[in-house]
Amino acid sequence: MLSDRTLAVTDAFGLRNQGAHSGDPRDEIEALPVPTSLLVDANGKVLWMDVSENYQRRSSPEVVLAALQTHLH
Amino acid sequence: MNALKNTGNQLALLGLLLAIGCTMVWFNQAEKVALPENRTLFIGVWLSAVAFAIAAFVKKPSWPGRIAALPALVIGLFLPFTVSISEQILPPGAIQVGETIPNFSAQNDRGEVFDSAQLRGSPVLIKFFRAHW
C-alpha cells in the first residue's frame, strides 16, 4: 500500500476528482483521486480500467476477477 | 408507555426507525460492495424520515419524541447529502486503456520509497482509493 498525500501520483495518472470534495475537511489537500482500478501488463500498458462514477461504489471483486481472467489468460 | 400515545412521539419514532433501518441497509450493502447504481429508494426513505420528524415537531412531541425526531432529521438529511456530493468526475487527459502508465514513486506504509520501475516484468493491479493511516 502506498501513500499519495500530495496527489502527485494521482495527478500523473490524471485521476484527480473534479467533482465536489467529499474527503475529510481537515486534510491539507482539497481533492481526492477518483476511485479507480487499473490492470497493467508487464510493459506498463493499461489493459483494463474501472472508474467509479461515485465514491460510494467501487469495483466489485467479481468485476475485477473477470477482468483478470479476460486479460491475463 | 404513555409517551407512545402522543402522536408527535409516534411520528418521531417512525421517522427514527425509517432513518436507522435505511442507513443500516445502506452500510450493509456498501460493505458488500453492492450499493445499487440507482439510490432513489434510499433517498426516498431518508427524506420520508425527515418528513416524519418534521411532522412530529408540528404535533408537539414530549421529550422522548423530541429525542427521537432530532436524529431522524439529521440522518435523513445528511445521508442524502453525501449521495449528492458523491459524483466523481475525471479531468481531461486522464489515463486511458492502451496507454502506458507514468513513472512514479511513493512512500509505503513502512516509510520506504517505492519506485514504479519495480512493477515492470509482470502484470499488476493498481487501485486508487481514499484512506487514512
Side-chain angles (χ1 to χ4, degrees):
Chain A
M1 191 154 29
L2 304 176
S3 172
D4 187 26
R5 186 179 287 275
T6 63
L7 294 187
V9 181
T10 298
D11 287 338
F13 279 73
L15 296 176
R16 181 189 289 240
N17 177 36
Q18 306 296 296
H21 178 49
S22 53
D24 192 327
R26 296 166 294 179
D27 283 344
E28 295 166 0
I29 200 153
E30 293 183 354
L32 289 168
V34 173
T36 304
S37 299
L38 300 112
L39 181 59
V40 179
D41 72 7
N43 298 313
K45 188 173 92 170
V46 178
L47 299 173
W48 168 88
M49 62 187 287
D50 185 53
V51 179
S52 293
E53 71 280 5
N54 70 72
Y55 76 82
Q56 295 167 334
R57 279 174 54 82
R58 308 297 170 90
S59 315
S60 70
E62 293 77 21
V63 167
V64 176
L65 283 171
L68 292 172
Q69 286 163 354
T70 299
H71 295 284
L72 299 182
H73 57 271
Chain B
M1 294 306 289
N2 281 337
L4 286 176
K5 293 179 184 174
N6 178 304
T7 304
N9 291 354
Q10 291 168 358
L11 291 169
L13 182 61
L14 186 55
L16 182 62
L17 290 173
L18 279 174
I20 290 176
C22 185
T23 302
M24 287 176 65
V25 172
W26 173 267
F27 282 109
N28 178 266
Q29 296 209 338
E31 197 176 295
K32 296 177 194 170
V33 196
L35 278 175
E37 202 166 315
N38 187 333
R39 273 77 57 78
T40 305
L41 181 61
F42 283 102
I43 293 172
V45 174
W46 279 319
L47 293 181
S48 297
V50 171
F52 278 112
I54 292 173
F57 280 118
V58 168
K59 288 293 184 180
K60 295 185 178 15
S62 59
W63 67 263
R66 288 194 288 270
I67 289 175
L70 196 54
L73 198 62
V74 171
I75 293 169
L77 289 174
F78 181 70
L79 272 299
F81 169 72
T82 66
V83 173
S84 73
I85 63 168
S86 66
E87 185 186 9
Q88 302 291 286
I89 302 171
L90 281 176
I95 194 162
Q96 305 279 332
V97 171
E99 294 180 346
T100 301
I101 63 170
N103 296 322
F104 65 90
S105 63
Q107 201 172 68
N108 67 15
D109 54 329
R110 293 182 299 276
E112 301 158 343
V113 176
F114 173 88
D115 192 284
S116 61
Q118 298 175 46
L119 297 175
R120 296 296 172 113
S122 56
V124 63
L125 181 71
I126 301 174
K127 287 182 69 71
F128 283 83
F129 62 98
R130 60 159 90 203
H132 289 85
W133 72 69

